[in-house]
Amino acid sequence: MAWTLVQSFKYTHKMNYIHIPIYQDQPRNQDSLQWEDYRLSRSRMDGIHKDSNSKWRFTCNFDKDGLLHTDYVIATHADIPILFLPSNHEACHKFEFIDIRGNNCTNCKVWTAQRDNWSFHIDSYHTNGKCKTNTFPDSISCNENGEDNFGFYVCVNPKHRCSSTNESTTELWFGGQ
């Protein structure tokens, strides 16, 4: 697989990303990679996706730790068309592999959300009930909000590698063979 970074941000910069869905054109430092604040334009993301990139993934702290499979996600654009999800979207989707704080599953359904004013993210707390699974038994809730993983970060579990410190980073990649 070959992977192209399309977005990366430091936890302290989450407010620059929290209200921007993946499908919106909001480039940031796209001509100068900055792990703490980087996002390609929508047209560049579309071009990468069309160039035989069939998968996408989220990583945490890639710039410091490299590729780890703890707090890691991989899915196909066919199963979850991340660039083309409708606004106000919330649903269970099939992931090839997902790990949240050491709890993981393969080819399983997980709750995702994205709205016109919410970034795409995985809600591990609501996955357990809405997707009829108990994959993430130690997920937290904040009032009625479930734990936000790999984006949005309103209800945060500090045990998740992408949100464990102010220096933590969240990365979105598109990949293909």
Side-chain angles (χ1 to χ4, degrees), residues 16-147:
N16 295 335
Y17 294 86
I18 198 169
H19 298 295
I20 303 171
I22 296 298
Y23 57 78
Q24 284 185 1
D25 185 33
Q26 295 285 328
R28 298 185 63 84
N29 302 307
Q30 71 175 351
D31 295 322
S32 174
L33 174 59
Q34 298 178 28
W35 292 100
E36 66 273 0
D37 190 17
Y38 175 80
R39 180 179 165 124
L40 294 180
S41 67
R42 174 60 195 260
S43 63
R44 287 188 185 182
M45 285 189 219
D46 285 340
I48 292 164
H49 170 58
K50 290 175 186 172
D51 190 26
S52 300
N53 281 265
S54 59
K55 297 184 183 197
W56 59 265
R57 71 180 182 184
F58 277 108
T59 59
C60 301
N61 301 316
F62 187 86
D63 58 321
K64 297 174 201 77
D65 301 338
L67 181 62
L68 299 178
H69 290 104
T70 301
D71 296 321
Y72 175 78
V73 169
I74 188 166
T76 67
H77 286 283
D79 287 333
I80 310 168
I82 196 167
L83 285 172
F84 303 101
L85 292 173
S87 61
N88 300 323
H89 174 82
E90 296 181 51
C92 294
H93 283 286
K94 180 183 165 199
F95 284 79
E96 282 190 3
F97 177 81
I98 183 167
D99 181 286
I100 297 177
R101 294 177 320 284
N103 298 298
N104 58 64
C105 59
T106 303
N107 295 319
C108 56
K109 297 233 177 182
V110 175
W111 188 253
T112 64
Q114 175 173 259
R115 294 189 179 173
D116 286 336
N117 61 343
W118 291 3
S119 61
F120 179 87
H121 63 284
I122 294 164
D123 185 320
S124 57
Y125 178 80
H126 287 302
T127 291
N128 294 330
K130 294 181 179 187
C131 300
K132 297 179 177 54
T133 181
N134 193 29
T135 304
F136 310 112
D138 58 347
S139 294
I140 64 169
S141 67
C142 307
N143 299 320
E144 293 187 20
N145 297 315
E147 179 181 327

